[in-house]
Amino acid sequence: MTKLDTKTQLLNIAETALRQRGFDGFSNADLADVAGIRKASIHYHFPTKADLSVALMDRYCNTVQGACDDIDASHASAGARLRALIGYYRASLGDGSTICLCVALSTSRESLSQELVGKMIGFRQIMIGWLKVTFEQGAGDGSIEGGTQAGYEAKAMLALLEGAHLAARDDRDIRQFDAAVALLLLRCKR
Amino acid sequence: MTKLDTKTQLLNIAETALRQRGFDGFSNADLADVAGIRKASIHYHFPTKADLSVALMDRYCNTVQGACDDIDASHASAGARLRALIGYYRASLGDGSTICLCVALSTSRESLSQELVGKMIGFRQIMIGWLKVTFEQGAGDGSIEGGTQAGYEAKAMLALLEGAHLAARDDRDIRQFDAAVALLLLRCKR
DNA sequence: GTCTATATCTTGATAGAC
DNA sequence: GTCTATCAAGATATAGAC
């Protein structure tokens, strides 16, 4: 485990901060404290807060896309894939405080750049696309119970996952997440 | 239509601002501008921003509770009640920018008082309680299709509604809300 | 109830030395 | 790459006149 370069370190700290407290809820001072550098030094790596946020969202999209690919590669049935994605969202809650980056940014939508809002919409499209394909496969192989309208299933499920994150975070209790997705898990037959 | 007193006016302005931009996204200056008074005058009505937020959340809980009572009084079947609640959430999106107050506050959870977080959790309990009863009635009178586990249905549906708000707001397109709740609406048979 | 004036703090960002 | 020093703007909040 080599030591991370400062830029990556800042991205990691910022991602956690943003997902815990929102775009308007963390400052360069917070990042500097954790990173152990002065806040002015942050501008060397990311000239503005907007630049940092765009970089964060780019990395997040890639990470989640990669997670979806991994899930596809390591699970045979659509039902197992859906279960795995639910597990991924569950794990990303961490100690119950880190909601999805896209959700954390949503509240501050009005003060964000068009570029960033575009990336947030792009993130949802990635997720909905993957979910739609998975629901279609689940209807085909019989591993996911329920309707055949995969497009609506996908949008409903993403909304449910994001809402489940919020409920769990407010309560600081991951069981709220589990309760919200319980029926969805029951639909995954194998 | 008599003119509103300043305190109510401030609550209205603050509710819209908070639901559009989050707790850290609006300031006394914003409220003062719209209300047509100086920002220092706000402290006469609400000593601190925390006081204002608590008052907002109290009013919000009462309003939504009242809406649920109205829905119960004016719809015979559980399915019709569920449809009406979905319509209520849909209408509360306004032009697509005003998400649920509780969701708007969630992002800033870490910087909020324990009192306020408690009220947010209380709000969800109100909604989940109402939803659970409605799903139970729906299973009884056959007006809502699907499982009999009303408690899980309730938590899943609240999460879905909140997530649907976020998706619609990011896109500024209420059709994202409609798509997310489409299958839910289909389950309401009468 | 609302005003002016002010205090104090934090924010994002820049300039320039090392 | 990181530092010190500094800036202008914006935040919440208070004191006291009217």
Side-chain angles (χ1 to χ4, degrees):
Chain A
M1 185 74 114
T2 58
K3 195 166 169 291
L4 295 173
D5 60 297
T6 305
K7 191 164 186 168
T8 304
Q9 209 184 334
L10 284 173
L11 282 173
N12 292 345
I13 297 166
E15 181 176 325
T16 301
L18 185 40
R19 291 172 59 179
Q20 282 179 336
R21 303 194 292 276
F23 181 81
D24 297 314
F26 79 98
S27 70
N28 285 339
D30 299 323
L31 308 186
D33 280 351
V34 180
I37 60 176
R38 296 296 180 160
K39 53 184 179 163
S41 308
I42 293 173
H43 294 284
Y44 171 78
H45 302 281
F46 303 100
T48 69
K49 196 175 183 180
D51 293 323
L52 171 61
S53 304
V54 167
L56 266 183
M57 201 63 206
D58 277 335
R59 192 178 74 152
Y60 192 71
C61 284
N62 287 334
T63 303
V64 174
Q65 177 73 69
C68 289
D69 292 343
D70 287 349
I71 287 173
D72 282 339
S74 55
H75 295 81
S77 74
R81 288 175 187 163
L82 213 60
R83 269 201 308 271
L85 185 78
I86 294 170
Y88 182 78
Y89 263 79
R90 185 183 199 274
S92 83
L93 264 175
D95 66 353
S97 66
T98 46
I99 58 173
C100 169
L101 181 58
C102 185
V103 174
L105 283 169
S106 286
T107 303
S108 308
R109 183 198 187 284
E110 303 298 318
S111 39
L112 304 178
S113 68
Q114 246 190 317
E115 183 186 10
L116 194 51
V117 174
K119 287 182 190 298
M120 291 158 63
I121 294 173
F123 170 79
R124 286 216 174 83
Q125 283 172 344
I126 292 174
M127 287 308 308
I128 288 170
W130 186 90
L131 284 167
K132 183 167 182 287
V133 169
T134 305
F135 271 106
E136 283 165 353
Q137 292 174 337
D141 69 8
S143 64
I144 303 176
E145 211 171 50
T148 53
Q149 306 197 59
Y152 288 135
E153 296 275 15
K155 293 191 175 188
M157 174 157 168
L158 182 59
L160 197 163
L161 286 174
E162 295 186 349
H165 262 196
L166 292 175
R169 209 265 290 277
D170 280 5
D171 254 6
R172 269 202 194 293
D173 185 351
I174 201 157
R175 283 174 299 180
Q176 295 296 333
F177 178 88
D178 292 333
V181 301
L183 293 177
L184 199 51
L185 280 172
L186 282 180
R187 291 177 56 195
C188 301
K189 289 305 171 187
R190 58 183 169 78
Chain B
M1 187 76 115
T2 57
K3 196 165 168 296
L4 295 172
D5 60 299
T6 304
K7 191 163 187 168
T8 305
Q9 209 184 334
L10 284 173
L11 281 173
N12 292 345
I13 298 166
E15 182 177 322
T16 301
L18 185 40
R19 291 172 59 178
Q20 281 178 338
R21 304 195 292 275
F23 182 79
D24 297 313
F26 79 97
S27 71
N28 286 338
D30 299 323
L31 308 186
D33 280 350
V34 180
I37 58 175
R38 297 295 181 163
K39 53 186 177 167
S41 308
I42 293 173
H43 295 284
Y44 170 78
H45 302 281
F46 303 101
T48 70
K49 197 175 181 179
D51 292 324
L52 171 61
S53 305
V54 167
L56 266 184
M57 201 63 207
D58 277 337
R59 193 178 72 153
Y60 192 70
C61 284
N62 287 334
T63 302
V64 175
Q65 177 74 69
C68 288
D69 291 344
D70 287 348
I71 288 174
D72 283 340
S74 55
H75 295 82
S77 75
R81 288 175 187 163
L82 213 58
R83 270 202 307 272
L85 185 77
I86 294 170
Y88 182 78
Y89 264 79
R90 186 183 198 275
S92 82
L93 264 174
D95 66 354
S97 66
T98 45
I99 57 174
C100 168
L101 180 59
C102 185
V103 174
L105 283 169
S106 286
T107 304
S108 308
R109 182 197 187 285
E110 303 299 318
S111 38
L112 304 178
S113 69
Q114 246 190 317
E115 182 186 13
L116 195 50
V117 174
K119 287 183 190 296
M120 291 158 62
I121 294 174
F123 169 80
R124 286 215 174 82
Q125 284 173 342
I126 291 174
M127 287 308 308
I128 289 171
W130 185 90
L131 285 167
K132 184 167 183 286
V133 169
T134 304
F135 271 105
E136 283 166 352
Q137 292 174 338
D141 67 9
S143 63
I144 303 175
E145 211 173 49
T148 52
Q149 304 198 61
Y152 288 134
E153 295 276 15
K155 292 192 176 188
M157 173 156 170
L158 182 59
L160 197 163
L161 286 174
E162 294 186 351
H165 261 198
L166 291 176
R169 209 267 289 276
D170 279 5
D171 256 4
R172 270 202 193 293
D173 186 349
I174 202 158
R175 284 173 299 180
Q176 296 296 334
F177 179 87
D178 292 333
V181 301
L183 292 177
L184 200 51
L185 280 172
L186 282 179
R187 293 176 55 195
C188 302
K189 290 305 173 186
R190 57 183 168 80

